[in-house]
Amino acid sequence: MPDVKSKPKINVITMGCAKNLVDSEVLLGQLRRGSARLVGEVDEADVAVINTCGFIEAAKQESIEAILEAIERKKRGELRKIVVMGCLAERYREELRKELPEVDVLFGSNELQEVTESLGVDYKRELLGERLLTTPSHFAYLKISEGCDHPCSFCAIPLMRGKHRTKPLEQLLKEAEHLASQGVKELILIAQDSTYYGMDLYGKRALSQLLMELGRVGAIEWIRLMYAYPAKFPLDVLEVFRQNPKLCRYIDLPLQHASDNVLRSMRRGITNRAMRDLIFRMKNAIPDLAIRTTFIVGYPDETEHDFETLCNFVREMEFHRVGVFTYSHEEGTTAFPLGDTIPQEVKEQRRDRLMEIQQEISERRNRSLIGSKHRVVIDRLERGFAVGRTQWDAPEIDQEVYVSGKNLKPGKFYDVTMTDAVEYDLYGNVVSGAEDL
């Protein structure tokens, strides 16, 4: 058996979304069980593994910059090997091989076994569900499916991740139990489309059943639903929310636009009216529900009227959380032949204007919370505050609560009275005498 000190030191760099993060954590779990020598910083490494994102132009550029930085390190003799994996490699493998010959090997987004074995570790199928968590120990992402069957015109995900593939319910429950045994208190369900869960494997949408079963995992306290596709949303999910207090009153529902003209061109399979009906049904079923959504501005031929329709929609719906992206012109998508007709300057102006509308809504909502008490999980300690979140906020992408109190600990839940608010943050004090929950 080789001496551990003779093994190369491996650093895994993750770009892009939480779904990529899960892939990296699974890879790290395989490498750890294979006694690989893992290091937390690329400065310490002999081998750099870069898990890339290829979704939109900005993400692609960020991944390319990470590869170029690794190549410079290799030229200086600081790295022996560069492994590139993930979505960018899946989509542009031949181009990358030609343009960046310094990269030793490239693997696509569905070749984890090949990545593992290229690093000198035998891939162990019995480790399915085991990961080396890179998030704070009290929350973890649970990827419930892979790929997507929807034909959205702007989206390159099917080109990189393939068709929808459901993870079996039993496997997900085993993974959830394993995460809970490691101290995870919050599960964040992710997928390319979480509402399509079960269609390919069980012949029906089975998200409600999955949520019910996960709700029975004893040590889990919060379950958060992300990436719920709005068209044909399974309404039985709302009843599970009503029944199970472990489900955070939060649904991430990417709508992308509100103009029927744009929605039709985007091939979203839903109309403005149908979106309104769905949102009202959600709010009526779960009165304290926070809806998070995302929009794309600057889609080809988006008119000023289309954009005004979107602005009015956001004003009327008063979403709790909104993200806005400028359209990225992606080759291979069905929108690509339409051209990139909106100047970048106009796209950015529209993004900023829409976010100004949401900023006013968010500040008004936050100020209405002053004086109220809510349960908060602490994520980290920072500059004299304990920084946490309510059930209405996902980590990394949503707002935070800055909590004052003595001896507060990350991963613990506290009752907090809100004392102040700004557009995207809250401030509060731990309720006097409150115990860890």
Side-chain angles (χ1 to χ4, degrees):
M1 183 175 181
D3 179 19
V4 171
K5 292 184 179 179
S6 69
K7 293 184 177 182
K9 293 176 286 186
I10 302 170
N11 174 247
V12 177
I13 302 164
T14 305
M15 318 300 295
C17 66
K19 295 177 280 291
N20 258 17
L21 182 68
V22 171
D23 293 343
S24 290
E25 290 178 343
V26 173
L27 172 62
L28 287 165
Q30 289 279 344
L31 295 177
R32 178 179 60 178
R33 288 292 293 269
S35 300
R37 198 175 175 194
L38 302 174
V39 294
E41 301 293 336
V42 70
D43 291 345
E44 308 167 17
D46 303 308
V47 178
V49 181
I50 305 171
N51 189 1
T52 59
C53 179
F55 181 45
I56 59 176
E57 187 59 38
K60 289 188 286 186
Q61 190 57 42
E62 188 177 8
S63 292
I64 290 292
E65 288 171 1
I67 297 170
L68 293 175
E69 181 180 336
I71 288 172
E72 288 303 312
R73 290 180 181 275
K74 186 178 180 184
K75 289 178 178 178
R76 295 194 299 265
E78 298 168 10
L79 286 174
R80 283 192 247 159
K81 185 175 182 179
I82 301 172
V83 177
V84 173
M85 61 178 286
C87 292
L88 192 74
E90 179 76 33
R91 191 173 176 191
Y92 300 107
R93 192 187 311 240
E94 294 307 316
E95 294 91 332
L96 291 172
R97 185 175 284 128
K98 179 180 178 181
E99 297 295 330
L100 302 173
E102 299 89 349
V103 172
D104 293 275
V105 63
L106 294 118
F107 296 103
S109 53
N110 300 305
E111 297 178 310
L112 181 62
Q113 179 174 346
E114 290 82 353
V115 176
T116 304
E117 292 173 352
S118 78
L119 296 169
V121 172
D122 290 335
Y123 182 80
K124 297 179 176 62
R125 294 191 178 278
E126 65 271 20
L127 296 183
L128 282 175
E130 290 194 30
R131 294 146 52 186
L132 177 57
L133 293 182
T134 59
T135 56
S137 60
H138 58 280
F139 72 80
Y141 296 98
L142 184 66
K143 184 157 63 168
I144 66 173
S145 64
E146 186 63 88
C148 186
D149 287 356
H150 294 294
C152 301
S153 66
F154 55 85
C155 185
I157 284 175
L159 301 174
M160 299 177 288
R161 292 283 181 172
K163 295 185 72 63
H164 179 94
R165 303 180 301 284
T166 291
K167 272 191 181 181
L169 178 61
E170 297 77 11
Q171 181 181 330
L172 289 172
L173 290 176
K174 180 180 178 182
E175 186 172 347
E177 294 277 6
H178 180 70
L179 290 168
S181 72
Q182 293 180 278
V184 170
K185 304 289 182 62
E186 177 182 2
L187 289 178
I188 305 168
L189 273 55
I190 58 173
Q192 271 74 42
D193 170 17
S194 58
T195 60
Y196 207 70
Y197 178 82
M199 282 294 288
D200 56 316
L201 192 59
Y202 306 120
K204 63 178 182 178
R205 295 177 187 263
L207 179 60
S208 59
Q209 181 183 354
L210 173 63
L211 292 172
M212 284 190 293
E213 295 294 338
L214 289 174
R216 298 189 179 107
V217 179
I220 298 299
E221 299 192 39
W222 278 1
I223 300 170
R224 187 177 304 279
L225 179 61
M226 306 291 291
Y227 308 112
Y229 197 86
K232 299 181 181 178
F233 183 93
L235 295 173
D236 58 347
V237 164
L238 301 181
E239 184 57 32
V240 182
F241 270 82
R242 288 166 56 90
Q243 295 174 4
N244 194 332
K246 287 189 178 184
L247 288 176
C248 292
R249 272 39 188 168
Y250 175 107
I251 295 178
D252 175 58
L253 189 76
L255 297 174
Q256 310 304 6
H257 215 279
S259 160
D260 283 335
N261 290 331
V262 177
L263 289 169
R264 190 179 306 111
S265 182
M266 284 182 167
R267 301 186 179 186
R268 293 290 289 168
I270 196 168
T271 63
N272 179 294
R273 181 174 179 176
M275 290 195 307
R276 290 170 185 272
D277 290 345
L278 174 61
I279 291 165
F280 290 138
R281 292 190 73 164
M282 286 179 163
K283 289 180 177 181
N284 287 335
I286 314 165
D288 57 346
L289 178 68
I291 297 177
R292 183 183 208 282
T293 192
T294 51
F295 296 109
I296 296 172
V297 295
Y299 183 83
D301 300 325
E302 177 193 56
T303 65
E304 281 294 336
H305 178 72
D306 293 327
F307 178 66
E308 285 301 325
T309 298
L310 175 57
C311 290
N312 291 333
F313 182 74
V314 171
R315 289 190 189 98
E316 180 184 355
M317 293 297 105
E318 293 195 334
F319 297 102
H320 284 71
R321 312 286 178 254
V322 169
V324 183
F325 298 91
T326 59
Y327 172 73
S328 181
H329 195 47
E330 297 296 322
E331 63 268 36
T333 63
T334 54
F336 189 76
L338 300 177
D340 196 6
T341 57
I342 309 296
Q344 186 63 28
E345 180 181 358
V346 174
K347 293 179 187 179
E348 292 173 2
Q349 289 171 351
R350 291 178 180 177
R351 177 196 61 199
D352 294 346
R353 184 176 165 201
L354 194 59
M355 284 308 301
E356 285 174 5
I357 294 169
Q358 179 59 29
Q359 181 176 316
E360 294 176 4
I361 295 169
S362 181
E363 183 173 12
R364 185 167 65 252
R365 281 190 176 280
N366 280 354
R367 292 204 172 279
S368 73
L369 295 175
I370 294 175
S372 61
K373 183 179 72 174
H374 300 282
R375 195 176 185 218
V376 171
V377 64
I378 302 302
D379 285 336
R380 67 185 188 279
L381 304 179
E382 179 183 295
R383 295 177 297 178
F385 287 99
V387 185
R389 294 172 289 112
T390 68
Q391 66 169 323
W392 301 303
D393 296 290
E396 305 294 336
I397 57 173
D398 291 328
Q399 68 180 20
E400 295 177 313
V401 185
Y402 289 81
V403 183
S404 298
K406 294 182 178 179
N407 303 316
L408 305 184
K409 299 176 182 178
K412 298 292 185 180
F413 291 81
Y414 299 92
D415 286 335
V416 175
T417 299
M418 304 304 166
T419 58
D420 200 2
V422 291
E423 296 94 332
Y424 297 119
D425 286 310
L426 292 163
Y427 295 84
N429 295 326
V430 171
V431 174
S432 178
E435 299 292 333
D436 293 0
L437 297 178

